[in-house]
Amino acid sequence: MNDLRGGWLERIAEAADEAALEELRVAALGKKGEISLKMRELGRMTPEERQVAGPALNALKDEVNSALAAKKAALGDAALEERLRGEWLDVTLPGRHRRAGTIHPVSQVMEEVTAIFADMGFAVAEGPQIETDWYNFDALNIPGHHPARAEMDTFYTHRAPGDNRPPHVLRTHTSPVQIRHMEAHGAPVRVIAPGRVYRADYDQTHTPMFHQVEGLVIDRDISMANLKWVLEEFFTAYFGTSVKTRFRASHFPFTEPSAEVDIQCSWEGGTVKVGEGDDWLEVLGSGMVHPHVLRSAGVDPDDWQGFAFGMGIDRIAMLKYGIPDLRAFFDSDLRWLRHYGFAALEVPSVHGGV
């Protein structure tokens, strides 16, 4: 019995894996296993022999079962240890760096512009990008023969034959927002209207879709002096340096008198620097709001007056960050954005923070 016990315990201890262990279990304790066959021989023994062999065989069976269970647990622990060595991970190490998304220059500048004008008490007004030609042209004193109303300059929406609704256009400026705001709220008014606008043009400084911000102030005692102060305060805050402005007489249908506004700059090696030098660069149009525009919006020009201005957000972004081609805003990847220093969330926000 001792030889039988020693042989099976030794073979179980030497089992290399769970498959070999299962073969040993069947060979020892299966229906035709060696120990099982010994147990069957008890019926042919005398009572005295059975009294000695029975407890010994039961003890052997229990010991072999225990050895099999212990070996199975040991093999499982070894397999787990091997797996852990192969899949080892140090959770104390810092995580892999993932580059964050990059804010687009237009989005950043729109936030900057909004924050600066908010400090001067301007609210933000919004309106639809598809407008009737009345809001886009007629209400702004733009006559029917004006070149801006030609299809070569303006995108008109499709009309099926027999559709007699008024023409609709992709807005060519955000000025219709001013009309809608005055209609809804009356006077006084102090708002900016940033947003997308559309014109049929495409070159280094023009794209079919671009971004514009227009400002409108209406009150009882407003003059061009107020306009000049607002613009100089804006440019100084935006460019981070004192910026002089120059007004040149011009003509816009929606303002009278009208003025083109230039800012002080210098040119060195093909690069423009704002706020220094003896040169001037045109950046926007402005003027006192035409009485026809006020009447169109339901505001009495005998009681109220004000100024308006409009500038391209993409263009002032080009000036501030040295971006040479307007088209690059719309067909470049993240490497181009990072080249000009735009990183995630590093943007002055009207909502606070940087």
Side-chain angles (χ1 to χ4, degrees), residues 88-313:
W88 179 83
L89 174 66
D90 186 351
V91 295
T92 66
L93 292 174
R96 293 185 180 90
H97 175 67
R98 291 187 178 185
R99 301 190 72 169
T102 303
I103 191 167
H104 194 276
V106 172
S107 300
Q108 176 162 318
V109 171
M110 195 171 292
E111 283 279 349
E112 291 176 352
V113 169
T114 302
I116 293 169
F117 279 113
D119 286 341
M120 290 190 280
F122 283 78
V124 175
E126 297 180 328
Q129 296 181 43
I130 299 178
E131 277 289 8
T132 66
D133 65 344
W134 188 86
Y135 279 108
N136 198 78
F137 297 122
D138 295 328
L140 294 164
N141 200 38
I142 299 176
H145 61 271
H146 195 280
R149 302 183 76 146
E151 291 189 357
M152 68 178 61
D153 291 321
T154 299
F155 294 105
Y156 283 83
T157 60
H158 175 71
R159 281 285 182 266
D163 188 341
N164 296 319
R165 288 179 296 167
H168 282 67
V169 302
L170 297 183
R171 66 183 183 190
T172 59
H173 42 194
T174 58
S175 300
V177 178
Q178 300 176 10
I179 302 295
R180 290 181 177 273
H181 186 85
M182 286 189 286
E183 281 183 338
H185 303 283
V189 174
R190 190 185 300 184
V191 297
I192 58 169
R196 295 186 182 92
V197 296
Y198 307 85
R199 297 180 190 174
D201 209 349
Y202 187 71
D203 58 34
Q204 187 173 355
T205 57
H206 299 85
T207 52
M209 186 278 290
F210 57 101
H211 300 82
Q212 195 176 64
V213 59
E214 298 192 16
L216 174 70
V217 174
I218 303 294
D219 214 318
R220 297 189 185 278
D221 187 19
I222 296 293
S223 68
M224 294 285 283
N226 303 122
L227 169 62
K228 185 176 179 67
W229 179 87
V230 165
L231 293 178
E232 288 188 346
E233 286 293 306
F234 167 74
F235 287 126
T236 297
Y238 177 71
F239 289 108
T241 185
S242 179
V243 179
K244 295 180 181 178
T245 60
R246 180 178 70 175
F247 280 43
R248 290 179 291 104
S250 186
H251 170 73
F252 303 110
F254 28 81
T255 52
E256 181 59 39
S258 302
E260 301 275 6
V261 179
D262 305 332
I263 56 175
Q264 177 191 13
C265 69
S266 67
W267 292 89
E268 296 180 7
T271 302
V272 61
K273 294 184 178 180
V274 175
E276 61 181 58
D278 299 322
D279 292 323
W280 297 93
L281 178 68
E282 176 196 330
V283 288
L284 61 86
S286 65
M288 299 299 290
V289 180
H290 197 286
H292 176 81
V293 175
L294 294 176
R295 290 193 193 95
S296 298
V299 175
D300 188 349
D302 294 328
D303 294 331
W304 304 93
Q305 62 188 39
F307 63 77
F309 60 86
M311 70 185 93
I313 290 176

Side-chain angles (χ1 to χ4, degrees), residues 64-88:
V64 169
N65 271 324
S66 296
L68 287 168
K71 183 62 177 181
K72 185 175 182 179
L75 289 172
D77 290 343
L80 178 60
E81 185 70 22
E82 183 66 25
R83 180 182 174 188
L84 289 175
R85 280 197 296 268
E87 298 179 1
W88 179 83

Side-chain angles (χ1 to χ4, degrees), residues 332-354:
S332 299
D333 59 19
L334 290 176
R335 291 170 297 176
W336 174 85
L337 294 174
R338 294 189 184 107
H339 171 75
Y340 287 100
F342 293 93
L345 304 182
E346 294 178 1
V347 48
S349 171
V350 70
H351 307 298
V354 176

